[in-house]
Amino acid sequence: MYPFFFIKEKHEFIIFAPSADIGGSTQVNIDLCMCFADKKPLVIFSKKPKNNQYLQQFKNAGAYTIDLHRYIDNKLFHFINFFYRGVIAGYINKMDKPVIVGGESLFFYKVVPFIKKEVRSVDICHLNTWFNYTQGLIKFIDARIFSTKKIMKDAELLYRNNNLDKDYFSRLHFIDNKINIPSYRKNNNQVLSVVYIGRGAPQKRVYLIAAIAKKLHELNMNVHFSFVGDVEKVFNPADYSFCTFHGNIHDKNKMEEIYSNSDVLLLTSAYEGLPIVVMQMMAHGKVVVSTAVDAIPDYITNEENGFLLSNHLDENEIVAEGVAVLNKLANNRTLVDEIGNKSRQYAEKHFSGKTFCKEYARILFQE
């Protein structure tokens, strides 16, 4: 039963996580450990890590970590996976009323059927990938937390299609992810600074941003475009000498500099959850201009705390609309500041660490 032989104290708060690999869902698990450090969080890893880049952050948050992937992430020895389900369930069931959380962990769903009713079991859903698999296990889950309203709506639709009892709907909750809210710094850019931050993935349609940049350049507008990410997969940066290309950036200080020095974040995605970059730019008091897809309109109200572009079937219309919005902002610095301030106010209310911890305490510990 190694390594459970060596757990000498009881942990009131247990998180099942795939690994400590870099990523948004991993960061949420770390943030939870920080919120509830007084409950001596135990984090159980179950998947072979690719980089384990966030492991030290778990330790810095005061979490006790156990990595079981060597024992349970091997199909040739699947019986050991079954064995550990019983070992872990036995350890949890010996405690009075602990809280266990599935933080995007498939192993959590393997264990939860063996947990006694007095234990509060909660899963956190950042994606709808496992909905079909987990719907047979929801009777064992006391609450489900979604990091975007769009994913929660997907779950509600699935429940309705399966004629589930109203009690199951009451177990669904939405909580925004947390980011650090930086000190506000006003820009005095003479040229409107527009940035794209993200991958060169097909759904991002970065080529539309390149087309907008080219059109504004041809119109000799007072706008400069910068790109962060592997956009060279989509178009040749050499064809856009009037833009700045940073490539992938891993230095947090450099990213902070880009957030601070930009005025506008431009996204033209075909579909989207809520990219962390949207939250970051809102927290910095910047203007988000994005296609009105999926979760984005849940956070951005057009012409109030940002601008929404219609997701036209004709992509030329998206380009034209983007050009019009950026032209409007380039000619009205006061509007940039007003929209940016409202964007920051929204972030302070919804994305702060205090709000995050309070909302999770309400669902996890019913405080």
Side-chain angles (χ1 to χ4, degrees), residues 11 13 15 26-43 45 54-65 178 356-357:
H11 296 266
F13 181 43
I15 298 176
T26 305
Q27 184 62 58
V28 170
N29 293 334
I30 294 168
D31 291 337
L32 289 174
C33 290
M34 295 178 67
C35 287
F36 309 115
D38 62 314
K39 300 186 183 298
K40 301 177 181 178
L42 168 65
V43 182
F45 300 121
Y54 281 178
L55 182 59
Q56 188 58 48
Q57 291 192 42
F58 278 103
K59 295 178 180 179
N60 293 344
Y64 185 91
T65 64
K178 162 190 173 295
F356 177 89
C357 293

Side-chain angles (χ1 to χ4, degrees), residues 86-100:
V87 171
I88 294 171
Y91 167 76
I92 293 171
N93 290 336
K94 287 179 181 178
M95 289 183 275
D96 186 17
K97 292 183 178 180
V99 172
I100 65 172

Side-chain angles (χ1 to χ4, degrees), residues 16-27 29-30 43-59 65-67 69 103:
F16 289 79
S19 69
D21 286 347
I22 187 171
S25 62
T26 305
Q27 184 62 58
N29 293 334
I30 294 168
V43 182
I44 301 172
F45 300 121
S46 56
K47 296 291 289 183
K48 183 179 179 179
K50 294 179 180 178
N51 52 63
N52 253 1
Q53 197 165 327
Y54 281 178
L55 182 59
Q56 188 58 48
Q57 291 192 42
F58 278 103
K59 295 178 180 179
T65 64
I66 293 178
D67 190 344
H69 87 267

